[in-house]
């Protein structure tokens, strides 16, 4: 057998291996093939190919493994159990850029499923190798490493701390400054994942100088980058007043308000979330947002959005209004109440309706003027029906009831209260009757209207326990009218009159 024939055997074997891993990598892109591949024992067949003498076979087998592990946690678990991770970590330091990208992809695919699998990635020493990759010359390698680190960090504070301890944060901040947009996105996303778990982790990101670089990218033309930048700034701002103030000091206002008009709904949502996270901390921060035109911009954004995109804006209005009378009035003047009323009626999701109810309660609870602004938007009957609807979630019922009580306790606009007299259950009715008992003794016009509209008649039909607050309120209202009027509208009075007619003896001359 000649030398050429001997070598031909090796070449055929190499071609067969190459074709095998390429076909598997291709098959792994389709979900319907995954189970068949798994049952055929693909993991144990790919493992030795990671150490193949041919670099393209190594890379393609890593890519196939990544695609499989990405699919579900069983396959990711199989990668861990097959002792494949240490091999990948070793190769991260040794191999070329194509292999590094493929290896980082496998680590990311394993880490994404659960904290336990992410911990397996940490335990095999991957973080140090990934951090070294953040300094690689190739942007694609940096991107793959940043992505894997972000997926480890997103699960919990302990895993995030491990990423911080490996020295990733300053290098991620450098990645944000690179010219490649894809790398910027992934680095901003990783910083967001690191910042979200605790004030201490967010402070670490801030100390590395992240805020200034993130703030500069708020007006980037790339929507996906803006999403990540706004998310990272939100995750930093949410933890404390100090961190929120540091974000504000990076001069994000008024530029961030332009993001509320962005065509990309996630940019709009993340911008509203950032503004919400800042507004909730203090009246001063809320006032700063009002002065920048932030409340009006958020209200417009709610009007131009639907569903969950509305949610952070709806909550932001509640947080602003909760701080003080003046701030609640700023929401009213910017026409926030009608927009929240639309959310209450239009939205199908209970949690969005619950947020709108909560915000309306925060606006209406300050003074009679605030309560009137909410009441005239015809919100009270809607809140009542949501509270009484058995289909409503428990959270929505609780929020609607609380909002109703908050508004009712300040509301002196009687025409808005009157429909509730007929529909409200006893625990709400006492607040409605209580408001009438406060206003009627001092307003003769209202007293007359209360009779002609059927309100007084309705009051007589209410059965209240003697000595209860409701009975006290009813007595106060009845004392505003002559006794014969009260009698006239009492149930059974017309029957009593008819009986008197029956028993009356005419005076015949």
């Amino acid at each position: 057998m000649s030398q050429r024939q001997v070598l031909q055997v090796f070449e055929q074997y190499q071609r067969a291996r190459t074709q095998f891993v390429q076909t598997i990598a291709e098959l792994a892109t389709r979900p319907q093939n995954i189970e068949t591949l798994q049952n055929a024992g693909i993991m144990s067949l790919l493992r030795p190919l990671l150490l193949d003498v041919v670099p393209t076979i190594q890379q393609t087998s890593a890519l196939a493994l990544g695609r499989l592990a990405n699919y579900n946690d069983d396959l990711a678990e199989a990668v861990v159990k097959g002792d494949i991770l240490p091999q990948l970590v070793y190769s991260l330091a040794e191999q070329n850029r194509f292999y590094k990208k493929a290896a980082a992809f496998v680590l990311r695919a394993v880490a994404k499923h659960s904290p336990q699998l992410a911990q397996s990635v940490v335990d095999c020493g991957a973080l140090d190798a990934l951090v070294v990759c953040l300094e690689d010359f190739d942007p694609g390698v940096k991107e793959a490493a940043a992505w894997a680190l972000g997926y480890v960090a997103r699960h919990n504070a302990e895993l995030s701390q491990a990423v911080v301890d490996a020295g990733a944060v300053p290098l991620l901040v450098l990645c944000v400054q690179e010219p490649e947009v894809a790398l910027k996105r992934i680095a901003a996303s990783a910083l967001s994942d690191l910042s979200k778990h605790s004030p201490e982790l967010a402070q670490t990101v801030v100390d590395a100088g992240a805020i200034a670089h993130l703030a500069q990218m708020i007006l980037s033309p790339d929507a996906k980058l803006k999403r990540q930048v706004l998310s990272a700034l939100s995750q930093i701002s949410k933890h404390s007043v100090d961190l929120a103030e540091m974000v504000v000091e990076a001069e994000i206002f008024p530029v961030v308000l332009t993001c509320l008009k962005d065509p990309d709904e996630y940019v709009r949502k993340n911008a509203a979330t950032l503004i919400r996270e800042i507004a909730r901390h203090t009246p001063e921060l809320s006032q700063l947002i009002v002065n920048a035109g932030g409340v009006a911009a958020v209200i417009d954004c709610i009007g131009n959005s639907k569903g969950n995109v509305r949610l952070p804006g709806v909550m932001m209005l509640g947080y602003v209004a909760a701080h003080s009378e003046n701030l609640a009035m700023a929401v009213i003047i910017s026409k926030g109440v009608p927009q929240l009323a639309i959310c209450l009626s239009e939205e199908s999701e209970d949690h969005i309706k619950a947020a709108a109810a909560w915000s309306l309660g925060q606006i209406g609870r300050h003074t009679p003027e605030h309560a009137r602004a909410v009441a005239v938007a015809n919100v009270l009957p809607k809140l009542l029906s949501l509270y009484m609807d058995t289909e409503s979630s428990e959270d929505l019922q609780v929020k609607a009831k609380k909002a109703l009580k908050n508004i009712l306790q300040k509301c002196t606009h009687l025409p808005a209260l009157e429909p509730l007299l007929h529909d409200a259950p006893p625990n709400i009715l006492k607040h409605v009757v209580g408001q009438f008992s406060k206003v009627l003794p001092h307003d003769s016009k209202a007293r007359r209207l209360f009779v002609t509209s059927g309100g007084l008649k309705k009051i007589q039909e209410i059965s209240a326990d003697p000595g209860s607050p409701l009975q006290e309120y009813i007595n106060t209202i009845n004392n505003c009218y002559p006794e014969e009027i009260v009698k006239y509208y009492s149930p059974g009075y017309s029957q009593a009159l008819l009986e008197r007619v029956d028993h009356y003896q005419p005076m015949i001359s």
Side-chain angles (χ1 to χ4, degrees), residues 50 62 65 79 83-93 99 102-104 106-107 110 129:
L50 285 172
L65 270 173
V79 171
D83 234 12
I84 291 167
L85 295 182
Q87 236 165 281
L88 292 168
V89 172
Y90 171 75
S91 306
L92 269 178
Y99 189 90
V106 181
L107 293 169
V110 171

Side-chain angles (χ1 to χ4, degrees), residues 405 425-435 469-470 473:
K405 284 186 173 179
N427 57 338
I428 300 293
L429 190 62
K430 71 175 181 204
H431 297 289
V432 179
V433 176
Q435 291 308 107
L470 180 55
Y473 300 146

Side-chain angles (χ1 to χ4, degrees), residues 159-365:
L159 288 162
S160 284
Q161 191 60 53
V163 173
V164 169
D165 294 342
V169 174
L171 295 170
L172 287 169
V173 174
L174 285 174
C175 290
V176 165
Q177 299 165 64
E178 294 281 347
E180 292 79 15
V181 173
L183 177 55
K184 284 176 185 284
R185 280 184 208 148
I186 303 301
S189 171
L191 290 170
S192 177
D193 285 329
L194 280 164
S195 303
K196 71 182 181 186
H197 300 291
S198 73
E200 294 74 26
L201 286 160
Q203 190 65 54
T204 307
V205 171
V206 171
D207 291 343
I211 290 177
H213 299 296
L214 291 167
Q216 282 166 7
M217 295 186 290
I218 286 174
L219 291 180
S220 159
D222 184 80
K224 287 180 178 169
L225 176 56
K226 278 190 283 197
R227 288 181 197 174
Q228 301 302 345
V229 164
L230 293 165
S231 168
L233 291 171
S234 303
Q235 299 292 11
I236 292 168
S237 304
K238 75 179 185 184
H239 293 292
S240 70
V241 178
D242 289 346
L243 287 166
E245 283 175 349
M246 289 172 90
V247 171
V248 169
E249 281 160 16
E251 297 182 358
I252 62 163
F253 291 104
V255 289
V256 75
L257 302 182
T258 58
C259 295
L260 292 169
K261 295 189 176 76
D262 199 273
D264 185 285
E265 60 177 24
Y266 292 103
V267 171
R268 297 202 300 275
K269 184 182 179 186
N270 289 2
T273 304
L274 170 57
I275 297 165
R276 177 193 75 192
E277 296 301 357
I278 293 168
R280 31 183 291 228
H281 289 295
T282 65
E284 292 73 25
L285 283 167
S286 278
Q287 189 63 56
L288 182 143
I289 292 166
V290 170
N291 296 348
V295 167
V298 166
I299 291 165
D300 287 346
C301 176
I302 296 170
N304 298 327
S305 305
K306 290 277 177 286
N308 271 322
V309 180
R310 280 175 159 172
L311 184 61
V314 166
M315 292 173 71
M316 176 266 185
L317 295 179
Y319 281 126
V320 171
H323 285 304
S324 73
E325 284 179 25
N326 290 345
L327 286 165
M329 195 47 77
V331 175
I332 291 168
I333 290 164
S334 300
K335 304 201 167 32
V337 173
Q339 202 57 69
L340 290 169
I342 289 167
C343 292
L344 211 55
S345 306
E346 266 185 19
E347 286 299 334
S348 55
E349 300 276 345
D350 277 5
H351 66 280
I352 301 172
K353 288 194 273 202
W358 174 79
S359 290
L360 286 163
Q362 297 306 319
I363 295 166
R365 71 183 174 83

Side-chain angles (χ1 to χ4, degrees), residues 37 75 123 131 162 172 179 193 195 335 378 411 435 454:
L37 290 170
L75 287 158
D123 293 342
V131 167
L172 287 169
D193 285 329
S195 303
K335 304 201 167 32
N378 202 28
C411 186
Q435 291 308 107

Side-chain angles (χ1 to χ4, degrees), residues 149-161:
L149 289 165
Y151 271 48
V152 171
R154 65 171 47 176
H155 292 292
N156 59 41
E158 290 73 32
L159 288 162
S160 284
Q161 191 60 53

Side-chain angles (χ1 to χ4, degrees), residues 3-13 15:
Q3 187 182 358
R4 172 144 182 72
Q5 286 171 315
V6 171
L7 290 172
Q8 223 171 356
V9 175
F10 282 90
E11 281 167 15
Q12 280 173 340
Y13 180 45
R15 273 199 301 275

Side-chain angles (χ1 to χ4, degrees), residues 494-506:
S494 53
Q495 190 62 40
L497 283 180
L498 285 171
E499 281 174 18
R500 281 178 66 186
V501 169
D502 289 343
H503 298 118
Y504 185 68
Q505 294 298 324

